[in-house]
Amino acid sequence: MSAATKKTTIYKYSSGNTGVVINDTDAGPYSYFYDDSKANVLLASFAPQGTGFVNHQRGSKPMFTASKKTGSTSDSKGNLLEYFDWQPKRPGLAFGPSKPQKMYINPCLSFFLTDQFDLKMTFRGTSGFHEFDVGKPSRPSYLDRIKTKTLTGHLILDLPKTTPTLKERQTLLASNPAAANMKKAQEFGWVLPRASPSGREYAQITVRDDLKPVIDGGNADIDRLSNFRTTIGKNVLGLKTLLRETAKDPNASVNLGGTATSRGLQVPPSIYKKFVPPPPLPMTIPAHKLLNHVASEAPNQLIVVLCSDRGPGECRKAERQFAQIHKKTNMFLKKNDIDPQKHDYKLIVSDNSRLPDPIAKKYNFNVLPMYMMYYGGKLVMIGDKFNGYSTMKEDLEIEIKNNVLRARKNLFLPDDFRFIDPRHSEFKDV
């Protein structure tokens, strides 16, 4: 949590178990809703901007997920029922859920879905019935400031008083000693004398003694910046000359610090920004060879696969995160002298840039990047989000650890698993 917690409010079930925890921060309230058990299983969580998730009571399958731009609902088996954008991508397109929905989580917890700004959680505990607004805060409107409405239909608003009225300004001027001189200047149209183009009038201006250090310091800064700009210009001119000479002689070397004739005018080397290459990617395999390669890996090792189109955008961002985790894992293995084949997991990148894509066809998805995790050739996890809604590197590391434990418990997805196309599925209440 990035913001510091100012106040924490806890609501409990009649059994005494914790039901709701509200952390009030400078950024807004963070809401957590738990099951009625001593294990305190987290059933729902929402951030101040309306992003979060709601899980089914029996199992960890998401019932509802919300990101900043999209939302989705799923059944108890994890099958996608509806996927929607909170705002229309183009005018005229449908957005938001197809209809308002009420979802029962347990006998004391319910969730109401209307739109991005109207998400509610209800809880019935020892202190009675409570309702929590967990959606995105709506923008303030002038209608919220209406005090009264006149008979003619005019609205009287409760607006903060920031500027003085005309009478108040006249009163302030009357109490000012310089108000008389100002009034006379306005009456006779007096104006300040203007300087001539030669600027000879400035020689008659004398600077007060207490302001001389300030003005001298400002002039010194101006001279220093001017000299620095001149130095940079001479360096650039010298580099241009050097590069032209280098183009004629392929065996010549380029000194980016400046030429020998302008060595006394060099810009300090510390201002040059050094290029740091990104960490290398793990093993990259074409998509049509991926499943055969996964089957040949060690049966007691989780194989984490990133399906990428190797292009810019979200896939490039996912590849950077994947490379950072790969570098961190290699450093850990080298430091502790661990054989990579005996580690809990192994990272692989699948090149899905060529069409047709056999992996996308097998699992019926068209979104990249996509993450898949195998154990002994069996599918443990597939999806483009972690913990229901996240794409961060830290959540990917947690997802890997959790799926290692799931695989060792023989919790696998069906062999014929495929994503359901929401355009051809029947929308029902969860």
Side-chain angles (χ1 to χ4, degrees), residues 50-63:
T51 57
F53 66 93
V54 179
N55 285 345
H56 289 274
Q57 182 183 11
R58 307 301 178 190
S60 59
K61 300 295 183 181
M63 177 188 301

Side-chain angles (χ1 to χ4, degrees), residues 75-366:
D75 60 15
S76 58
K77 295 182 180 180
N79 298 324
L80 186 65
L81 295 179
E82 186 176 8
Y83 183 85
F84 46 83
D85 296 300
W86 288 124
Q87 300 298 330
K89 294 183 178 180
R90 295 192 304 273
L93 291 182
F95 64 96
S98 57
K99 60 181 178 180
Q101 300 180 32
K102 181 177 182 180
M103 308 176 186
Y104 294 99
I105 308 174
N106 66 20
C108 298
L109 271 177
S110 297
F111 174 67
F112 295 85
L113 166 62
T114 304
D115 56 40
Q116 187 180 19
F117 301 97
D118 191 2
L119 304 177
K120 298 183 184 297
M121 291 286 298
T122 61
F123 173 74
R124 188 178 300 277
T126 55
S127 56
F129 180 81
H130 303 276
E131 185 175 277
F132 306 94
D133 291 322
V134 294
K136 183 178 180 180
S138 58
R139 295 181 180 178
S141 170
Y142 75 94
L143 297 176
D144 300 331
R145 297 181 175 272
I146 297 177
K147 293 174 61 177
T148 57
K149 186 175 182 180
T150 63
L151 296 176
T152 57
H154 293 82
L155 302 178
I156 307 298
L157 305 181
D158 183 15
L159 298 176
K161 192 174 182 181
T162 55
T163 57
T165 61
L166 177 61
K167 290 184 179 180
E168 290 174 342
R169 289 199 296 269
Q170 291 174 346
T171 303
L172 291 174
L173 288 176
S175 60
N176 188 353
N181 295 333
M182 187 189 310
K183 186 175 182 181
K184 187 177 294 186
Q186 292 174 351
E187 180 180 356
F188 294 100
W190 291 347
V191 296
L192 293 175
R194 295 182 179 180
S196 60
S198 64
R200 61 180 180 272
E201 292 84 6
Y202 292 115
Q204 303 176 7
I205 299 176
T206 57
V207 181
R208 287 174 12 193
D209 294 338
D210 56 335
L211 295 179
K212 284 184 178 181
V214 178
I215 295 178
D216 292 342
N219 292 333
D221 290 337
I222 294 173
D223 295 338
R224 191 179 300 110
L225 291 173
S226 178
N227 293 334
F228 188 66
R229 184 179 62 181
T230 304
T231 300
I232 293 176
K234 291 182 179 180
N235 268 343
V236 171
L237 181 61
L239 286 174
K240 286 182 178 179
T241 304
L242 181 61
L243 290 174
R244 290 193 186 100
E245 295 174 356
T246 306
K248 298 176 183 178
D249 184 6
N251 297 322
S253 61
V254 180
N255 177 19
L256 292 180
T259 62
T261 58
S262 63
R263 190 170 299 279
L265 301 175
Q266 293 179 17
V267 180
S270 59
I271 71 170
Y272 293 113
K273 186 176 180 181
K274 296 182 179 179
F275 172 72
V276 179
L281 281 173
M283 178 192 305
T284 303
I285 299 175
H288 65 277
K289 297 182 180 180
L290 176 65
L291 296 180
N292 291 335
H293 181 84
V294 169
S296 65
E297 290 287 350
N300 58 347
Q301 193 175 41
L302 185 72
I303 308 301
V304 183
V305 181
L306 167 62
C307 296
S308 170
D309 60 8
R310 309 309 310 277
E314 293 298 324
C315 286
R316 183 69 55 80
K317 177 181 176 182
E319 288 178 2
R320 289 198 194 99
Q321 295 180 352
F322 219 58
Q324 292 172 2
I325 298 177
H326 180 60
K327 179 181 178 181
K328 180 179 177 181
T329 303
N330 287 341
M331 292 175 61
F332 172 78
L333 297 177
K334 186 176 180 181
K335 180 179 179 181
N336 296 276
D337 195 18
I338 300 176
D339 185 3
Q341 297 298 328
K342 297 181 180 180
H343 191 46
D344 290 340
Y345 59 89
K346 180 179 180 180
L347 305 180
I348 295 177
V349 176
S350 173
D351 186 354
N352 295 57
S353 58
R354 294 187 177 183
L355 297 177
D357 186 350
I359 304 299
K361 183 177 180 181
K362 175 178 175 60
Y363 296 112
N364 192 30
F365 66 83
N366 55 8

